[in-house]
Amino acid sequence: MAGNTFGTVFRLSTFGESHGDALGGMVDGCPAGLIIDLEFIQRELNRRKPGQSKITTQRQEQDNVKFLSGIFEGRSTGHPIGFIVENNNHKPTDYEHIKDSFRPSHADFTYQEKYGVRDYRGGGRSSARETVCRIVGGAIAKLYLQTFDISINAYVSQVANIKTNKTYKELDLSKIETSMVRCPDDEISSQMIELIETIKKEGDTVGGIVSCVIKGTPIGLGEPVFDKLQSELAKAMLSINAAKGFEYGDGFNSIYKKGSELNDIFIATTDMEKRIMTQSNHSGGIQGGISNGEDIYFNVAFKPVATIMKEQKSVDRFGNTIVIKGKGRHDPCVLPRAVPIVESMAALVMADFLLKSKTSKI
Amino acid sequence: MAGNTFGTVFRLSTFGESHGDALGGMVDGCPAGLIIDLEFIQRELNRRKPGQSKITTQRQEQDNVKFLSGIFEGRSTGHPIGFIVENNNHKPTDYEHIKDSFRPSHADFTYQEKYGVRDYRGGGRSSARETVCRIVGGAIAKLYLQTFDISINAYVSQVANIKTNKTYKELDLSKIETSMVRCPDDEISSQMIELIETIKKEGDTVGGIVSCVIKGTPIGLGEPVFDKLQSELAKAMLSINAAKGFEYGDGFNSIYKKGSELNDIFIATTDMEKRIMTQSNHSGGIQGGISNGEDIYFNVAFKPVATIMKEQKSVDRFGNTIVIKGKGRHDPCVLPRAVPIVESMAALVMADFLLKSKTSKI
Amino acid sequence: MAGNTFGTVFRLSTFGESHGDALGGMVDGCPAGLIIDLEFIQRELNRRKPGQSKITTQRQEQDNVKFLSGIFEGRSTGHPIGFIVENNNHKPTDYEHIKDSFRPSHADFTYQEKYGVRDYRGGGRSSARETVCRIVGGAIAKLYLQTFDISINAYVSQVANIKTNKTYKELDLSKIETSMVRCPDDEISSQMIELIETIKKEGDTVGGIVSCVIKGTPIGLGEPVFDKLQSELAKAMLSINAAKGFEYGDGFNSIYKKGSELNDIFIATTDMEKRIMTQSNHSGGIQGGISNGEDIYFNVAFKPVATIMKEQKSVDRFGNTIVIKGKGRHDPCVLPRAVPIVESMAALVMADFLLKSKTSKI
Amino acid sequence: MAGNTFGTVFRLSTFGESHGDALGGMVDGCPAGLIIDLEFIQRELNRRKPGQSKITTQRQEQDNVKFLSGIFEGRSTGHPIGFIVENNNHKPTDYEHIKDSFRPSHADFTYQEKYGVRDYRGGGRSSARETVCRIVGGAIAKLYLQTFDISINAYVSQVANIKTNKTYKELDLSKIETSMVRCPDDEISSQMIELIETIKKEGDTVGGIVSCVIKGTPIGLGEPVFDKLQSELAKAMLSINAAKGFEYGDGFNSIYKKGSELNDIFIATTDMEKRIMTQSNHSGGIQGGISNGEDIYFNVAFKPVATIMKEQKSVDRFGNTIVIKGKGRHDPCVLPRAVPIVESMAALVMADFLLKSKTSKI
């Protein structure tokens, strides 16, 4: 109820603050017998970790995960997979100066008011460092999804006003990881990097859009009414730090089409099997809250992160006016590092619905 | 787990299909002692009911709610408030012809595949008629929120490409209900109505945007990490039929600003109390997943509804190509009727977080 | 969270008071495709209803269930099965006199203190009449369990100091329903009936033990650690009005044996299959919280019900001393009617674990 | 859903196996601002740890807890309190010989069947070592309860056929910790110790009863219908390894009294306040599932533990007959070490209901 657990059957619970000894958590409900590929999990963590490139924060964190339970002889046992990720590079003194300050558009003020007590070091629990645990959980979920040949790929489709005009179908998704900004459109990728470097020099930040596509989903995932597939995806995405919006299928652009233009006509294959599919996919692979077997795709908008290297006015907890300036090493644009987080949250949603779907029919 | 319950402390559970004897449900966790204003609840239902105006479906449903429990001498008792809404005007024969058909962009196909059995009459459980129960639950939530002076107002801000350029602050929200399309911008309202009438004549449908603003929220609602205030709002909104996208605060437009432009500077009142607030409100009243006391505002995109009065190709469950045409009485644009549904879902989210917040501190 | 829902996957939610218009609820998570045998459900309700025999209350309630949703052409659709049971025979005036009184060992006092408002008519929500909804949910669970050949039989094994010395294996369980007191030991049954009649004349009440056996459980139901099979059974049983204790397998008598005497030795069948079972079954079919394929058996102790036809001292809500005497028509011994309730709760537990077990392995 | 989380608002989630690197978990929902007395928590752990006395196992485990999050400057922050307890003294080779064996009345067989894969070392997740995490969670719950002056004391009231005839009111509960067997009745304590020593020499084990009393509970804790206070206590207790039965108040002995003898008469104090209480307390402090302010007391039956130092027949996973004999260092009687576990589970239940009760009324 306090918001540190995600999922119903396949559940990730997390704990930890930016500047404590360690973050960690547990994956409960992972089915027994799954091969746990530790190298894959570490590679996923590396995609999120700081210091990857010149356009991300230069903080050096190793982000090595240590598993404590739930794995035996390389396989999941059906019991909770406990893990920790130690905080090696924390410098609490970086934050002493903000002990009583409320940084603009951060959680300092709301946390102070809600709890009356606050671990101010690096934002404490509100730090995006918390997402390291989501990567661990998401990576295990991905391993499970892979046994069903379900793949999830996210990429940066827009940074500020620089935007690829290609759809996911027109892009070569295998190029995502070769782009420093994780945009598989070469030309746009270069422009994005250039912009981010400029912004970084200004001490400012920029936002953008992460697009994501899920392929290979079987028909029937998602629950009607309140727990629709898109509802849980929306919740998952909006739970990521700095996310401001979510749309799936044609999303906000749906409103510029008429029903007759937007409806996805069903067709059947001409072979004996007569497998049913849709001609177009404005629905984004979800109808009535349930996957229809087509590609699921969606966008997540991220605002520019709040920590900037410029002076800003604010107040302290006593209501005195102060001037604040970001210290430490921060991201001018979180989008590249948000890509594996979006994928991880999507993987958690899909793994949960896959397991739920096993109980739909007698 | 099967998706028919919403909320954790203040919980709405619903049942019922479009063409069964009745829909119904229960509100569990409503605190004891709340005055249950039955007339208010019925007025809320009337805002959603069909046949309100020339631009909604001409189906006549009374949508009278009958409460069965949990209320004694005009007050909630702390026990579940059970209720039913009878289906008086159901004409199952309207749907016999689609028994084996899969209507484009409806849930017919996904339900059939997921469950193997399907109540095809009027879409069964996938019918938007289900939202009548959300109105009941939402109205009770609103009564609870009113005791804290929290108000929720939604309105139609866009239909197809007709859009008000005024923000919620520039609009007179008391005019919402006097507009047939529930847009409080007179001129735009007229244009919207005209467009919907044209579309209706074509037998087609249009979508748009419902905007919503929540005023009076105390500081501290929302839970960090996975159950952020915006996460639950997003989930709630995307669970509404035909919803395709959600954004809060500056939303998707955040990406066109720099961090230095988007950050909301904290200021304090100059009186003794030194109450802290923000100068701007790009954050949409939520920081770190928790309300900061400013107005919460968000947009929900709705696609044009799938049922059109035009011929469409499709397939039946055996994979045979068929031609389908909507019968019965349907909405050319669901936006006006979606307004109270958006409010209801928002009210459920806020009531739940209010109750949760009582356990944050010792 | 407010305690009106039972189960995780297979969930029963209930509402309703003793003297409202109706009780009701919904079963959510019942897998699609289950044949819903309405006559079976009604027969189960009849086993619980008052006025069955000379040793139960003479209240006449029809207890007819009306299903409102989730069933189509005789089968469950996977959507919530909503239902109501109307209160036809309620006489609120029977209770006017206890409006401000706290009946000894009833919930009047605790409800008043907890909620500040109380539906005093017939105990309101605390009335055992609420269990009518458990029978409906339990009957649907039984229908599901029957598809796996799992059977559940409860019977009265003790009333006050009259007790059958036979184990469930020595009894003919098919005789349960032919005994007015639901004790399949003929001689003991007669003695129990005689005792209850005597007690009834005294205006007093007696308690006893309901024993229950579950046969045909597959190996592997139950979850380790907190949600052990016996934990959920214990919770389920202690949630029944007037239940005071629970034990399974050898239960409290386990303490009189040594480990070497109590351990259940594993043996294997001598055929090719080498199916593993236990020689004895002191464990009651559960090891490590998980079913081992042997019979599950347990006892539930019920105290004599609190409503007696004798004068008792008490206080009213203002602290004044009063004298109270039961009016209306009450059970001198609830045990016979508790039998189907014990079975229903056991069925809900087992159906839930069966569905959960589908997600244990990849 | 996989059973590794306990509680709704105040939640303990645990992970870890007997012979992994560490066990651990997190307490989520602990209200912010609670002073976390680390020494108290360690003292609680010491009460459970092995090697305390000649009548417990001689295994030496330090059971030092390391907190990783959720505590700042000595207080809870409202965020999850993550912790680990390392396994220092594990000797996996002790268990190699049982890799394919099914120990009688252990979870080996059911785990193997349920999951298909099994960490056989020391019972893996089924080991009672898991309860170390319950002590951590329970100790934090106790710290919270202490702020309300709620106390919980458990003690051993019976071992095999040696039993104190004194009620908790007649015993000096401050003597519990001075008795090696945690029985505050001096004479009985000595007899119990003698018996356990004899049994230990035999290589056998014995069971018994732990009694528990909760004092200072405010009126109004517990939820009606399914989540009654006694239901959750029963679930909590039956989730402890080797527990076979639960009874509260007069429990199983209730059946030997008539209603007129068992009912608890309400009385009021004679001062101005007219505080209402009961004359007797057969109800065990709970009426209608809700605390009435009187002492809550209950018993838990524990069977003799399954691991004995004698030869026993069994089968291996291929169905071959084998002979098994306990190795390593085990408890001849778990009762003394079960005492803090019973208290911890009770504390978790009470803390959860306390927080829930904050949402009962407007």
Side-chain angles (χ1 to χ4, degrees):
Chain A
M1 203 179 91
N4 298 289
T5 296
F6 188 83
T8 304
V9 184
F10 193 104
R11 293 160 81 91
L12 172 67
S13 298
T14 73
F15 61 79
E17 285 88 34
S18 174
H19 285 65
D21 285 337
L23 298 103
M26 59 188 252
V27 173
D28 201 10
C30 179
L34 183 70
I35 295 170
I36 304 297
D37 181 341
L38 298 176
E39 285 180 24
F40 171 77
I41 298 170
Q42 192 58 51
R43 278 201 305 277
E44 289 287 288
L45 282 166
N46 294 346
R47 293 174 69 205
R48 193 213 74 102
K49 81 171 180 186
Q52 292 174 51
S53 74
K54 61 182 178 183
I55 58 168
T56 62
T57 168
Q58 295 306 301
R59 270 198 312 276
Q60 293 299 327
E61 287 160 329
Q62 285 313 311
D63 289 353
N64 291 325
V65 63
K66 187 178 176 188
F67 288 103
L68 301 172
S69 66
I71 304 170
F72 188 64
E73 297 177 347
R75 287 181 183 270
S76 63
T77 59
H79 301 291
I81 300 172
F83 62 90
I84 56 171
V85 179
E86 289 178 6
N87 285 325
N88 298 311
N89 192 36
H90 49 102
K91 301 189 180 173
T93 48
D94 277 1
Y95 295 94
E96 270 295 325
H97 66 294
I98 57 159
K99 184 176 171 177
D100 292 320
S101 307
F102 295 142
R103 293 169 296 163
S105 290
H106 272 277
D108 303 337
F109 172 64
T110 52
Y111 272 43
Q112 183 68 45
E113 292 290 313
K114 184 178 181 73
Y115 300 110
V117 50
R118 178 166 66 94
D119 180 350
Y120 53 79
R121 301 167 304 164
R125 184 70 178 148
S126 74
S127 165
R129 177 137 183 77
E130 165 272 324
T131 57
V132 75
C133 296
R134 305 191 188 203
I135 299 287
V136 177
I140 296 172
K142 278 186 178 181
L143 290 172
Y144 178 56
L145 296 174
Q146 283 167 13
T147 69
F148 294 86
D149 285 325
I150 300 171
S151 70
I152 301 178
N153 285 289
Y155 59 93
V156 176
S157 58
Q158 183 164 1
V159 170
N161 57 350
I162 302 173
K163 179 183 176 178
T164 177
N165 288 315
K166 294 177 182 156
T167 69
Y168 76 86
K169 291 195 171 178
E170 296 160 336
L171 291 165
D172 178 357
L173 303 181
S174 71
K175 280 184 163 178
I176 296 170
E177 291 305 303
T178 61
S179 156
M180 195 185 289
V181 71
R182 292 206 167 88
C183 171
D185 183 329
D186 291 344
E187 204 184 304
I188 300 298
S189 171
S190 306
Q191 293 176 28
M192 288 173 172
I193 294 166
E194 204 175 326
L195 174 68
I196 295 170
E197 289 187 295
T198 308
I199 289 291
K200 190 182 170 185
K201 276 175 208 145
E202 290 177 19
D204 219 324
T205 56
V206 276
I209 290 177
V210 173
S211 297
C212 185
V213 56
I214 307 172
K215 288 167 179 281
T217 306
I219 306 169
L221 304 198
E223 300 295 326
V225 186
F226 299 115
D227 297 350
K228 292 186 167 85
L229 184 38
Q230 67 269 33
S231 312
E232 295 295 339
L233 283 173
K235 174 179 171 171
M237 297 307 143
L238 266 297
S239 79
I240 302 174
N241 309 46
K244 297 295 285 187
F246 168 88
E247 60 178 357
Y248 80 103
D250 274 21
F252 277 85
N253 283 324
S254 303
I255 65 186
Y256 299 107
K257 288 205 179 72
K258 296 180 189 173
S260 58
E261 296 162 333
L262 200 77
N263 282 350
D264 295 315
I265 302 306
F266 286 110
I267 51 172
T269 54
T270 50
D271 56 14
M272 287 292 291
E273 210 194 334
K274 292 199 169 182
R275 201 168 60 76
I276 295 169
M277 59 189 75
T278 62
Q279 214 162 25
S280 52
N281 185 19
H282 301 293
S283 300
I286 306 173
Q287 289 173 333
I290 296 168
S291 62
N292 67 359
E294 307 296 321
D295 293 344
I296 295 169
Y297 60 96
F298 59 86
N299 293 323
V300 189
F302 289 90
K303 66 165 190 172
V305 277
T307 304
I308 59 176
M309 300 295 118
K310 291 180 151 177
E311 289 197 343
Q312 294 177 96
K313 272 197 178 171
S314 191
V315 297
D316 64 17
R317 47 186 289 225
F318 314 106
N320 302 316
T321 303
I322 55 170
V323 171
I324 259 181
K325 189 177 166 180
K327 287 192 185 171
R329 298 142 296 171
H330 295 279
D331 285 284
C333 177
V334 291
L335 275 287
R337 293 177 62 206
V339 162
I341 302 168
V342 164
E343 288 179 10
S344 290
M345 292 309 297
L348 289 168
V349 169
M350 298 309 286
D352 201 29
F353 275 124
L354 246 171
L355 287 164
K356 282 183 182 176
S357 75
K358 296 193 174 198
T359 66
S360 302
K361 285 189 244 191
I362 55 165
Chain B
M1 203 180 90
N4 298 289
T5 296
F6 189 83
T8 303
V9 183
F10 194 103
R11 293 160 80 91
L12 172 67
S13 297
T14 73
F15 61 79
E17 285 88 35
S18 173
H19 285 65
D21 284 337
L23 298 102
M26 60 189 251
V27 172
D28 201 10
C30 179
L34 183 70
I35 296 171
I36 305 296
D37 181 342
L38 299 176
E39 284 180 23
F40 171 76
I41 298 170
Q42 191 58 51
R43 279 202 303 278
E44 289 288 288
L45 282 166
N46 294 346
R47 292 174 71 205
R48 194 213 73 103
K49 81 172 179 185
Q52 293 173 51
S53 74
K54 60 182 178 183
I55 60 168
T56 62
T57 168
Q58 295 306 299
R59 269 199 312 277
Q60 292 299 327
E61 288 160 329
Q62 284 314 309
D63 290 352
N64 292 325
V65 62
K66 186 177 175 187
F67 288 102
L68 302 173
S69 67
I71 305 170
F72 188 63
E73 296 177 347
R75 287 181 183 269
S76 63
T77 60
H79 301 291
I81 301 173
F83 62 89
I84 57 171
V85 179
E86 289 180 6
N87 286 324
N88 298 312
N89 192 35
H90 50 102
K91 301 189 179 172
T93 48
D94 277 2
Y95 295 95
E96 269 295 325
H97 66 293
I98 56 158
K99 184 176 171 176
D100 294 318
S101 307
F102 295 142
R103 291 169 298 164
S105 290
H106 272 276
D108 303 337
F109 172 64
T110 51
Y111 272 42
Q112 182 68 44
E113 292 290 312
K114 185 179 181 73
Y115 300 109
V117 50
R118 178 166 67 95
D119 180 350
Y120 54 80
R121 300 167 305 164
R125 184 71 177 146
S126 75
S127 165
R129 177 139 183 75
E130 166 271 325
T131 57
V132 75
C133 295
R134 305 191 188 203
I135 299 286
V136 176
I140 295 171
K142 280 185 178 182
L143 290 171
Y144 178 57
L145 296 174
Q146 284 166 12
T147 68
F148 294 86
D149 285 324
I150 301 171
S151 70
I152 302 177
N153 284 289
Y155 58 93
V156 176
S157 58
Q158 183 165 2
V159 170
N161 58 349
I162 301 172
K163 178 183 177 179
T164 177
N165 288 315
K166 294 178 182 155
T167 68
Y168 76 87
K169 291 195 172 179
E170 297 160 334
L171 291 165
D172 178 356
L173 302 181
S174 71
K175 278 185 164 178
I176 296 170
E177 291 304 305
T178 61
S179 155
M180 195 186 289
V181 72
R182 292 206 167 87
C183 172
D185 182 329
D186 291 345
E187 203 183 305
I188 300 299
S189 172
S190 304
Q191 292 175 30
M192 287 173 173
I193 294 166
E194 204 175 326
L195 174 68
I196 295 171
E197 290 188 293
T198 308
I199 289 291
K200 189 182 171 185
K201 277 177 205 142
E202 289 178 21
D204 219 324
T205 56
V206 277
I209 290 177
V210 172
S211 297
C212 184
V213 55
I214 307 173
K215 289 166 177 282
T217 306
I219 306 170
L221 304 199
E223 300 295 326
V225 187
F226 299 116
D227 297 350
K228 293 187 166 86
L229 184 38
Q230 68 269 34
S231 311
E232 295 296 337
L233 283 173
K235 176 180 171 170
M237 296 308 143
L238 265 296
S239 79
I240 303 174
N241 309 46
K244 298 296 286 187
F246 168 88
E247 59 179 358
Y248 80 103
D250 275 21
F252 277 86
N253 283 325
S254 304
I255 65 187
Y256 300 106
K257 288 205 179 71
K258 295 180 190 173
S260 58
E261 296 163 332
L262 200 76
N263 282 350
D264 294 317
I265 303 307
F266 285 111
I267 51 173
T269 54
T270 51
D271 56 14
M272 286 293 291
E273 209 195 335
K274 291 200 170 186
R275 202 168 59 78
I276 295 169
M277 58 190 75
T278 62
Q279 215 161 24
S280 52
N281 185 18
H282 301 293
S283 300
I286 306 173
Q287 289 173 332
I290 297 168
S291 62
N292 66 358
E294 306 297 321
D295 293 344
I296 295 169
Y297 60 96
F298 59 85
N299 292 323
V300 189
F302 289 90
K303 67 166 189 170
V305 278
T307 304
I308 57 175
M309 299 295 118
K310 290 178 153 179
E311 288 197 345
Q312 294 177 97
K313 271 196 179 171
S314 191
V315 297
D316 64 18
R317 49 188 286 225
F318 314 106
N320 302 315
T321 303
I322 55 170
V323 172
I324 259 180
K325 190 176 166 181
K327 288 193 186 173
R329 297 141 298 169
H330 296 279
D331 285 282
C333 178
V334 291
L335 275 287
R337 294 178 60 206
V339 163
I341 302 168
V342 164
E343 289 178 8
S344 291
M345 291 310 297
L348 289 168
V349 169
M350 299 308 287
D352 201 28
F353 276 122
L354 246 171
L355 288 164
K356 282 183 181 177
S357 75
K358 297 193 172 197
T359 67
S360 302
K361 284 188 247 191
I362 55 164
Chain C
M1 202 180 91
N4 298 289
T5 295
F6 188 83
T8 304
V9 184
F10 193 103
R11 293 161 80 91
L12 173 67
S13 298
T14 73
F15 61 79
E17 285 88 34
S18 174
H19 285 66
D21 284 337
L23 298 103
M26 59 189 251
V27 173
D28 201 11
C30 178
L34 183 70
I35 296 170
I36 304 297
D37 181 341
L38 299 176
E39 285 179 23
F40 171 76
I41 298 170
Q42 192 58 53
R43 278 201 305 278
E44 288 286 289
L45 282 165
N46 293 347
R47 292 174 71 205
R48 193 213 73 103
K49 81 172 179 186
Q52 292 174 51
S53 74
K54 61 182 178 184
I55 59 168
T56 62
T57 169
Q58 295 306 302
R59 271 198 312 277
Q60 293 299 327
E61 287 161 331
Q62 283 314 310
D63 289 353
N64 292 324
V65 62
K66 186 177 176 187
F67 288 103
L68 300 173
S69 67
I71 304 170
F72 188 63
E73 297 178 347
R75 286 180 184 271
S76 63
T77 59
H79 301 291
I81 301 172
F83 62 89
I84 56 170
V85 178
E86 290 179 5
N87 285 324
N88 298 312
N89 192 34
H90 50 101
K91 301 188 180 173
T93 48
D94 277 1
Y95 295 94
E96 270 296 323
H97 65 294
I98 56 158
K99 184 176 172 176
D100 293 320
S101 308
F102 295 142
R103 292 168 297 163
S105 290
H106 272 276
D108 303 338
F109 172 63
T110 52
Y111 272 43
Q112 182 68 44
E113 291 291 313
K114 184 178 182 72
Y115 300 109
V117 50
R118 178 166 65 96
D119 180 350
Y120 54 80
R121 300 167 305 163
R125 184 70 179 148
S126 74
S127 165
R129 177 140 183 75
E130 165 272 324
T131 57
V132 75
C133 295
R134 304 192 188 201
I135 298 286
V136 176
I140 295 172
K142 280 186 178 181
L143 289 171
Y144 178 55
L145 296 174
Q146 284 167 13
T147 68
F148 293 86
D149 285 325
I150 301 170
S151 70
I152 301 177
N153 285 290
Y155 58 93
V156 175
S157 58
Q158 183 165 359
V159 171
N161 57 348
I162 301 172
K163 178 183 176 178
T164 176
N165 288 316
K166 294 179 182 156
T167 68
Y168 76 87
K169 291 196 172 179
E170 296 160 335
L171 291 165
D172 178 357
L173 302 181
S174 71
K175 278 185 164 177
I176 297 169
E177 291 305 304
T178 61
S179 156
M180 196 185 288
V181 71
R182 292 203 168 90
C183 171
D185 182 329
D186 291 345
E187 203 182 306
I188 299 299
S189 170
S190 305
Q191 291 175 29
M192 288 172 173
I193 294 166
E194 206 174 326
L195 174 69
I196 296 170
E197 289 187 294
T198 307
I199 288 292
K200 188 182 172 185
K201 276 175 206 144
E202 290 178 19
D204 218 323
T205 55
V206 276
I209 290 178
V210 173
S211 297
C212 184
V213 55
I214 307 173
K215 289 165 177 282
T217 306
I219 306 169
L221 304 199
E223 301 294 326
V225 187
F226 299 115
D227 297 350
K228 293 187 167 86
L229 184 37
Q230 68 268 35
S231 312
E232 294 296 337
L233 283 173
K235 175 178 171 169
M237 296 309 143
L238 265 297
S239 79
I240 304 174
N241 309 47
K244 297 295 286 186
F246 167 87
E247 59 179 358
Y248 79 102
D250 274 22
F252 277 86
N253 283 324
S254 304
I255 66 187
Y256 299 107
K257 288 206 179 73
K258 296 180 189 173
S260 59
E261 296 163 333
L262 200 77
N263 281 349
D264 295 316
I265 302 306
F266 285 111
I267 51 172
T269 54
T270 50
D271 57 14
M272 287 293 290
E273 210 193 334
K274 292 200 168 183
R275 201 168 60 77
I276 295 168
M277 59 190 75
T278 61
Q279 214 161 23
S280 52
N281 185 19
H282 300 294
S283 300
I286 306 173
Q287 289 173 333
I290 297 168
S291 63
N292 66 359
E294 307 296 322
D295 293 345
I296 295 168
Y297 61 96
F298 59 84
N299 292 324
V300 189
F302 289 89
K303 67 167 188 171
V305 277
T307 305
I308 58 176
M309 299 296 119
K310 290 179 153 179
E311 290 197 342
Q312 294 177 98
K313 271 196 177 170
S314 191
V315 297
D316 64 18
R317 49 185 288 222
F318 314 107
N320 302 315
T321 303
I322 55 171
V323 172
I324 259 182
K325 189 176 167 180
K327 287 193 187 171
R329 297 143 297 169
H330 296 280
D331 285 282
C333 177
V334 290
L335 275 287
R337 292 177 61 204
V339 163
I341 302 168
V342 165
E343 288 178 10
S344 290
M345 293 309 298
L348 289 169
V349 169
M350 299 308 287
D352 201 28
F353 276 123
L354 246 170
L355 287 164
K356 282 182 180 176
S357 74
K358 296 194 173 197
T359 67
S360 303
K361 285 187 247 192
I362 55 165
Chain D
M1 203 180 90
N4 298 289
T5 296
F6 189 82
T8 303
V9 183
F10 193 103
R11 294 160 80 91
L12 171 67
S13 297
T14 73
F15 60 79
E17 285 88 35
S18 174
H19 285 65
D21 284 337
L23 297 102
M26 60 189 251
V27 172
D28 201 10
C30 178
L34 183 70
I35 295 171
I36 304 296
D37 181 342
L38 298 176
E39 285 179 25
F40 171 77
I41 298 171
Q42 191 58 53
R43 278 202 305 278
E44 288 288 289
L45 282 165
N46 294 347
R47 292 174 71 205
R48 193 213 73 102
K49 82 171 178 187
Q52 293 174 50
S53 75
K54 61 182 178 184
I55 59 167
T56 62
T57 168
Q58 294 306 302
R59 269 198 312 276
Q60 292 299 327
E61 288 160 329
Q62 283 314 310
D63 290 353
N64 292 325
V65 63
K66 186 177 176 188
F67 288 103
L68 301 172
S69 67
I71 304 170
F72 189 64
E73 297 177 347
R75 288 181 182 269
S76 63
T77 60
H79 301 290
I81 301 172
F83 63 89
I84 56 170
V85 178
E86 289 180 7
N87 286 323
N88 299 312
N89 191 33
H90 50 100
K91 301 188 180 172
T93 47
D94 277 2
Y95 296 94
E96 268 297 323
H97 66 295
I98 56 156
K99 184 175 172 177
D100 293 320
S101 307
F102 294 142
R103 292 170 298 164
S105 290
H106 271 277
D108 303 337
F109 172 64
T110 52
Y111 271 44
Q112 182 67 45
E113 292 290 312
K114 185 178 181 72
Y115 299 110
V117 49
R118 178 166 66 94
D119 180 350
Y120 54 81
R121 302 167 305 164
R125 184 71 178 148
S126 74
S127 165
R129 178 141 182 74
E130 166 271 323
T131 56
V132 75
C133 296
R134 305 192 189 202
I135 298 287
V136 177
I140 296 172
K142 279 185 177 182
L143 289 172
Y144 178 56
L145 296 174
Q146 284 167 13
T147 68
F148 294 86
D149 285 324
I150 301 171
S151 70
I152 302 177
N153 285 289
Y155 58 94
V156 176
S157 58
Q158 182 165 0
V159 171
N161 58 348
I162 301 171
K163 179 183 176 177
T164 176
N165 288 316
K166 295 179 182 154
T167 68
Y168 76 88
K169 292 196 170 179
E170 296 159 336
L171 291 164
D172 178 357
L173 302 182
S174 72
K175 280 185 164 177
I176 296 170
E177 291 304 303
T178 62
S179 156
M180 194 185 290
V181 71
R182 292 204 167 89
C183 172
D185 182 329
D186 291 344
E187 203 183 305
I188 299 298
S189 171
S190 305
Q191 292 176 29
M192 287 174 174
I193 293 166
E194 204 175 325
L195 173 68
I196 295 171
E197 288 188 293
T198 307
I199 288 291
K200 189 182 170 185
K201 277 175 205 144
E202 289 178 20
D204 219 324
T205 56
V206 276
I209 290 178
V210 172
S211 296
C212 184
V213 55
I214 307 172
K215 288 167 179 283
T217 307
I219 306 170
L221 304 199
E223 300 295 325
V225 186
F226 299 116
D227 297 350
K228 293 187 166 87
L229 183 39
Q230 67 268 36
S231 312
E232 295 296 338
L233 283 172
K235 175 178 171 169
M237 296 307 143
L238 266 296
S239 79
I240 303 174
N241 308 47
K244 297 295 286 186
F246 167 88
E247 59 178 359
Y248 80 102
D250 275 20
F252 277 87
N253 283 325
S254 303
I255 65 186
Y256 299 107
K257 288 206 179 73
K258 295 181 190 173
S260 58
E261 297 162 333
L262 200 76
N263 282 350
D264 294 317
I265 302 307
F266 285 111
I267 51 173
T269 54
T270 51
D271 55 14
M272 286 293 289
E273 210 193 335
K274 291 201 169 184
R275 201 168 59 78
I276 295 169
M277 58 190 74
T278 62
Q279 214 161 25
S280 51
N281 185 19
H282 302 292
S283 300
I286 307 172
Q287 290 174 331
I290 297 167
S291 63
N292 67 359
E294 306 296 323
D295 293 344
I296 295 169
Y297 60 96
F298 58 87
N299 293 322
V300 189
F302 289 90
K303 66 166 189 171
V305 277
T307 303
I308 57 176
M309 298 297 118
K310 290 180 154 178
E311 289 197 344
Q312 295 178 97
K313 272 197 179 170
S314 190
V315 296
D316 64 17
R317 49 186 288 223
F318 314 107
N320 302 315
T321 304
I322 55 172
V323 171
I324 259 181
K325 189 176 167 181
K327 288 192 185 171
R329 297 142 297 169
H330 296 280
D331 285 283
C333 177
V334 291
L335 275 286
R337 293 177 61 205
V339 163
I341 303 169
V342 164
E343 288 179 10
S344 290
M345 293 308 299
L348 289 169
V349 169
M350 298 309 285
D352 201 28
F353 276 124
L354 247 171
L355 288 164
K356 282 182 182 177
S357 75
K358 297 195 173 195
T359 66
S360 302
K361 285 189 245 190
I362 54 165

